[in-house]
Amino acid sequence: MYRIFLVARRDFLAAIRSKPFLIGLVVAPLLFGSGFIALAVNKAKPDIAERRIALLDRTGLAASQVIAAAAEKNSRQMFDKLTGRQLTPRYILDTVPVAAGDPDVQRLALSARVRRHELFAFLEIGRDVLDAPPPPAGTEKIPPSTRVDYYSNAGGIDETRDWLSGPLNDGLRRARLARLGVDPARFTTLLAPASVQSMSLLSRDPRTGEIRAAHKRSEVEIAIPFILMMMLAMMVLMSAGPMLGAVADDKQQRVFEMLLASTSPFELMMGKVAAAVALTLVGSVFYWVAAVFALQSFAMLGLAPWGLLPWFFIYLVADMLVVCSLGIAVGSACASPNDAQHLAMIVMGPTLIPLLLLMPIMQAPQGAFATVFSLLPPFTPLVMIMRQALPGGVPAWQPWAGLTGVLVWTAAVTWAAARIFRIGILVQGKTAKLSEMLQWAIRG
């Protein structure tokens, strides 16, 4: 233990005194949060350029109603009610007479106007849209005469199409009501949408038995599970990522040959792992303190998930042990830092895979997929902390079952990594294959 402590202390002090570590401590969260900053800036200064849309109405009845519904939506949403600042573009819909002859000729002419930026887009309302019943679920092919086609030159995410969806459907409903003889003065009341507010669940105080009222859930509260998961992943990637190349570099420069004269391979590996874990804990404390001050400055300190703080650090240590052990084992089996980078996905897989599956987990955190995925030891730390932070949490047994699996997995991976490390640091001149590393882990 004393030799492990000496190796860990040496690596820890060398890293924490280095300028790259101090710079990374500040720069990493800025890079991580740059996307959120860009979104905030974009929201503060939105694109409010006028957008003109041509409306090709083959029903002959819907255009006026759609234009009226779009004008109402402009008046409701375009300006901030408190400051009067314009928030969204003004959408102007103009009716285009239906030309005789081949429809594609007129579509081509309108497409040319879009390309010349005379129009932002154009809509074509099919001839039978007002009479067509809703298509059956799962229907892929809908006849052109019973649908509305949207033509634009916009990118993959087109907010204009989403904006038009409301007025378009509202206008079509108005046209149907008008044909049934309903008084147009009642359209607004009949088609008024209900306001849906996201609320928390009610609960009962275990001490007093008093029912705790529900409260309005804010966007920040909903984002906390995502933030916790990303913070955990960021800390692991920051601290464990460089381990792979650093070990391969030390091996290439024959540093290990001198260190092995005074310590065993296992003690040397565990010392490096302990130093990396200590660095991660220092960085995580720094980020948590910064987060608390940020929440305090915005009067949102009550949103901090204090009950999950112990679990966060437990999962952080467990994940670091697994990833660092793998990084040291793989790095020791590589001939150079460049070779080590080709195997980086093996080391970073337990951290990156949950990030790729983030959306299905957040959409159904209590579903079978998310539950099973959170109990698989390599992925438990990231997935379980996010599920615990989501509304409703998880059954009390699941975090403990997940932690048990993580501890068993960590012990097994560390043991196998130590066996690979013991042989890998002494093999010079070539990078071991995955099959060879597996043999070293099994046979020693």
Side-chain angles (χ1 to χ4, degrees), residues 172-385:
L172 294 177
R173 294 187 190 101
R174 293 183 184 206
R176 293 186 182 107
L177 290 172
R179 288 201 310 178
L180 294 173
V182 178
D183 184 1
R186 300 183 59 191
F187 287 175
T188 302
T189 303
L190 290 173
L191 300 175
S195 177
V196 180
Q197 175 62 58
S198 180
M199 303 291 290
S200 68
L201 295 176
L202 281 74
S203 61
R204 187 181 294 276
D205 191 315
R207 294 178 301 171
T208 65
E210 181 182 358
I211 296 178
R212 296 172 178 168
H215 65 274
K216 178 181 176 181
R217 289 172 56 193
S218 66
E219 294 180 1
V220 176
E221 183 179 359
I222 297 172
I224 283 177
F226 173 76
I227 294 173
L228 277 177
M229 183 183 185
M230 293 303 296
M231 184 183 293
L232 184 58
M234 181 183 70
M235 294 303 306
V236 172
L237 291 175
M238 278 179 53
S239 303
M243 183 73 69
L244 185 65
V247 172
D249 186 56
D250 286 347
K251 176 185 174 180
Q252 188 178 39
Q253 298 181 24
R254 298 181 176 271
V255 173
F256 286 142
E257 294 183 8
M258 295 180 288
L259 294 175
L260 288 174
S262 56
T263 184
S264 69
F266 178 79
E267 292 171 337
L268 183 57
M269 189 194 80
M270 290 308 300
K272 289 187 169 294
V273 170
V277 171
L279 283 172
T280 306
L281 291 174
V282 170
S284 62
V285 169
F286 172 81
Y287 294 138
W288 268 98
V289 171
V292 168
F293 276 109
L295 290 174
Q296 178 66 35
S297 63
F298 290 104
M300 296 180 179
L301 192 57
L303 296 178
W306 301 111
L308 295 178
L309 193 58
W311 284 108
F312 179 88
F313 285 105
I314 290 172
Y315 291 142
L316 179 62
V317 171
D319 213 14
M320 280 296 298
L321 288 174
V322 171
V323 176
C324 285
S325 298
L326 281 173
I328 290 176
V330 174
S332 66
C334 294
S336 67
N338 290 334
D339 291 342
Q341 297 305 316
H342 296 302
L343 300 175
M345 287 301 299
I346 298 175
V347 179
M348 297 304 164
T351 304
L352 296 178
I353 291 175
L355 298 180
L356 298 176
L357 299 173
L358 182 64
M359 288 309 298
I361 295 172
M362 291 194 72
Q363 289 171 351
Q366 306 301 333
F369 174 76
T371 301
V372 172
F373 202 58
S374 66
L375 294 174
L376 295 177
F379 316 118
T380 293
L382 290 175
V383 181
M384 189 68 79
I385 192 68

Side-chain angles (χ1 to χ4, degrees), residues 6-290:
L6 290 178
V7 174
R9 185 182 67 175
R10 182 264 170 197
D11 283 10
F12 176 79
L13 292 177
I16 205 169
R17 291 172 180 171
S18 65
K19 290 182 179 179
F21 174 79
L22 299 176
I23 294 173
L25 202 63
V26 177
V27 172
L30 293 178
L31 293 175
F32 171 72
S34 60
F36 298 100
I37 295 173
L39 289 175
V41 171
N42 184 63
K43 188 174 182 180
K45 295 184 177 181
D47 178 13
I48 56 175
E50 183 179 276
R51 297 185 182 181
R52 190 172 294 274
I53 295 99
L55 188 57
L56 189 63
D57 179 18
R58 298 192 180 277
T59 68
L61 300 171
S64 60
Q65 302 293 350
V66 173
I67 291 173
E72 289 183 8
K73 186 171 182 178
N74 274 327
S75 63
R76 289 196 312 267
Q77 298 184 359
M78 195 165 64
F79 296 99
D80 188 288
K81 292 179 174 58
L82 296 177
T83 64
R85 186 171 65 91
Q86 186 171 346
L87 302 176
T88 63
R90 181 186 296 276
Y91 294 90
I92 301 176
L93 276 64
D94 295 323
T95 303
V96 176
V98 177
D102 188 354
D104 282 339
V105 174
Q106 188 171 19
R107 293 178 188 130
L108 179 61
L110 290 171
S111 298
R113 292 183 62 188
V114 173
R115 292 191 182 93
R116 294 195 301 267
H117 304 289
E118 297 174 8
L119 296 173
F120 185 85
F122 67 95
L123 286 168
E124 181 179 4
I125 302 176
R127 180 183 63 254
D128 302 320
V129 165
L130 297 179
D131 301 308
T139 302
E140 294 183 1
K141 293 185 178 180
I142 302 174
S145 64
T146 63
R147 70 182 189 226
V148 178
D149 292 333
Y150 171 77
Y151 299 85
S152 79
N153 204 23
I157 301 177
D158 186 1
E159 61 181 12
T160 299
R161 178 179 178 273
D162 295 334
W163 191 95
L164 288 171
S165 177
L168 178 62
N169 286 287
D170 195 4
L172 294 177
R173 294 187 190 101
R174 293 183 184 206
R176 293 186 182 107
L177 290 172
R179 288 201 310 178
L180 294 173
V182 178
D183 184 1
R186 300 183 59 191
F187 287 175
T188 302
T189 303
L190 290 173
L191 300 175
S195 177
V196 180
Q197 175 62 58
S198 180
M199 303 291 290
S200 68
L201 295 176
L202 281 74
S203 61
R204 187 181 294 276
D205 191 315
R207 294 178 301 171
T208 65
E210 181 182 358
I211 296 178
R212 296 172 178 168
H215 65 274
K216 178 181 176 181
R217 289 172 56 193
S218 66
E219 294 180 1
V220 176
E221 183 179 359
I222 297 172
I224 283 177
F226 173 76
I227 294 173
L228 277 177
M229 183 183 185
M230 293 303 296
M231 184 183 293
L232 184 58
M234 181 183 70
M235 294 303 306
V236 172
L237 291 175
M238 278 179 53
S239 303
M243 183 73 69
L244 185 65
V247 172
D249 186 56
D250 286 347
K251 176 185 174 180
Q252 188 178 39
Q253 298 181 24
R254 298 181 176 271
V255 173
F256 286 142
E257 294 183 8
M258 295 180 288
L259 294 175
L260 288 174
S262 56
T263 184
S264 69
F266 178 79
E267 292 171 337
L268 183 57
M269 189 194 80
M270 290 308 300
K272 289 187 169 294
V273 170
V277 171
L279 283 172
T280 306
L281 291 174
V282 170
S284 62
V285 169
F286 172 81
Y287 294 138
W288 268 98
V289 171

